[in-house]
Amino acid sequence: MAFLKTVGICQIYDGRDILKNIDLEIDKGEVFTLIGPTGAGKTTLIRILALLDKPCSGSYYFDDTELTGSQSLQFEARRRTAYVQQRPIVFTMNVFDNVACGLKWRHIQPVVIKKKVNDVLELVGMADYWNRNAKTLSGGEIQRVAIARAIVTQPEVLFLDEPTANMDPVSTAKIENVLELLISERKTTIVMTTHNMTQGQRLASRLGIIINGKLIQTGGSDDIFIYPQNKEVAEFVGVENILKGEVVRKDNGLISIQINNQYVYSVSDVDMAGKVYVLIRPETIVFSSSQNAGSSRNVFKCRVTRINTIGSLVRIEVDCGFTLLGVVTTDAARELNISLGKEMYASFKATATHVIKI
């Protein structure tokens, strides 16, 4: 049985549907990350899961107990969780006392409080700041104090809303290190939202995509980023080659797809027919000066229409009857003598494609 479960959760603000029939299950000990565009409903959903807001309709189960309509059950469940908001608030007191608040409110013995607070300050890298006024800390330091304050009570579930939003790379790295330690050492169930898709991939065991208030897809990193279920998810996670075509033949798992006057071949065990989108990751495309493409089934003569160098990589856009974007290293670009208007060959394997039905 899922540790956290929602059934048909909906939320409406000012006549707008913010969440639409959210069905979600999160297992105990799982790190689950919600990603999606700004305004998609991520914060609304995590606040409902953290029992800070009530949904307009639907049911919420916490550890196999339905909480809907019961104030006492919600209160008991809330004591087993902790929530860190996007812009946490610290009290006008030193770091130690800020972190100790939750334990004092629970009437824990002072000697136990001292040990617990010192342990979590060590964990988040703030042990040397124990006597600093929390109001004088930087944004990244305040976030680490907020996380320490949340985990010192040893919650069963930790909710994090955009834990590194608007932080510089150094502060972001420090917060991520804290979360990695928390995940590996404490096995806490963590539910977080983030705009940082790389962060979501790195930290989460499973992700959920929310777009326009709907939970579109859940799954592991590969499920989301390599095998998105529809065009909306593909565009959001940055798939840049999304080609519209039509299946014209199927032969033992090999699909032939007509795109303009060309044919792309894809390996798929899905029963495809009619119009589809073919997704091709730029890094899977190989460019060469000759037609010999090894084991690649898809080989196209093309002409370079755009070149853009970013650091050590070169993004190449070519016309091969349809537009295709690929990526090579600067060394490879020099070896191929790539230039605007140059004719060459682009190839990719049938297994490097992903097909979704329109």
Side-chain angles (χ1 to χ4, degrees), residues 3-269:
F3 191 51
L4 307 178
K5 179 181 178 180
T6 69
V7 179
I9 288 290
C10 297
Q11 187 66 293
I12 299 173
Y13 287 142
D14 297 328
R16 284 197 315 120
D17 291 326
I18 306 300
L19 295 178
K20 306 168 187 176
N21 293 313
I22 302 293
D23 295 333
L24 174 63
E25 294 187 3
I26 299 171
D27 292 333
K28 193 174 183 66
E30 186 174 18
V31 181
F32 186 86
T33 298
L34 290 164
I35 59 177
T38 300
K42 301 185 300 297
T43 295
T44 301
L45 179 55
I46 199 172
R47 286 183 62 86
I48 288 173
L49 294 173
L51 297 165
L52 298 174
D53 291 336
K54 295 180 180 179
C56 292
S57 60
S59 301
Y60 180 27
Y61 297 82
F62 186 102
D63 197 11
D64 206 20
T65 300
E66 184 177 4
L67 304 181
T68 311
S70 173
Q71 294 282 356
S72 60
L73 289 176
Q74 290 175 22
F75 177 75
E76 289 303 315
R78 193 179 295 119
R79 287 178 61 87
R80 298 164 65 183
T81 72
Y83 180 84
V84 179
Q85 60 190 13
Q86 185 172 334
R87 293 181 176 83
I89 297 169
V90 289
F91 306 119
T92 307
M93 54 181 69
N94 66 29
V95 167
F96 183 97
D97 289 335
N98 263 273
V99 175
C101 282
L103 297 174
K104 291 179 179 178
W105 295 335
R106 286 168 168 79
H107 305 294
I108 305 298
Q109 291 295 319
V111 65
V112 177
I113 291 176
K114 183 175 181 180
K115 183 178 188 320
K116 284 181 176 288
V117 172
N118 287 337
D119 285 347
V120 295
L121 287 178
E122 188 70 37
L123 179 68
V124 302
M126 295 292 289
D128 293 338
Y129 293 73
W130 72 272
N131 202 31
R132 281 272 300 273
N133 184 337
K135 292 286 189 179
T136 67
L137 301 175
S138 68
E141 291 165 348
I142 286 175
Q143 191 74 316
R144 282 188 279 162
V145 170
I147 292 172
R149 187 170 60 198
I151 65 176
V152 75
T153 59
Q154 296 180 294
E156 294 177 58
V157 190
L158 175 63
F159 296 99
L160 302 163
D161 188 17
E162 296 283 356
T164 59
N166 304 315
M167 286 189 186
D168 61 83
V170 173
S171 297
T172 295
K174 288 179 179 178
I175 296 296
E176 289 180 356
N177 287 340
V178 170
L179 296 179
E180 286 172 347
L181 284 171
L182 187 61
I183 292 164
S184 63
E185 293 184 7
R186 298 205 172 190
K187 311 299 181 186
T188 305
T189 303
I190 297 177
V191 183
M192 62 183 284
T193 70
T194 183
H195 282 92
N196 187 332
M197 286 188 283
T198 302
Q199 181 181 84
Q201 286 178 277
R202 183 163 54 249
L203 297 176
S205 48
R206 200 160 55 96
L207 303 102
I209 302 286
I210 293 187
I211 298 176
N212 293 326
K214 294 182 179 180
L215 187 62
I216 302 293
Q217 183 176 352
T218 61
S221 180
D222 284 356
D223 298 322
I224 300 294
F225 291 90
I226 299 179
Y227 305 111
Q229 289 180 356
N230 58 38
K231 188 184 179 187
E232 278 185 303
V233 175
E235 289 177 333
F236 176 72
V237 300
V239 179
E240 294 176 281
N241 292 310
I242 304 177
L243 310 176
K244 187 176 182 180
E246 185 170 1
V247 175
V248 295
R249 185 178 179 184
K250 293 179 285 184
D251 184 15
N252 293 325
L254 184 68
I255 298 176
S256 303
I257 303 153
Q258 184 174 357
I259 301 174
N260 297 337
N261 294 320
Q262 300 280 21
Y263 294 90
V264 170
Y265 301 97
S266 175
V267 171
S268 176
D269 57 1

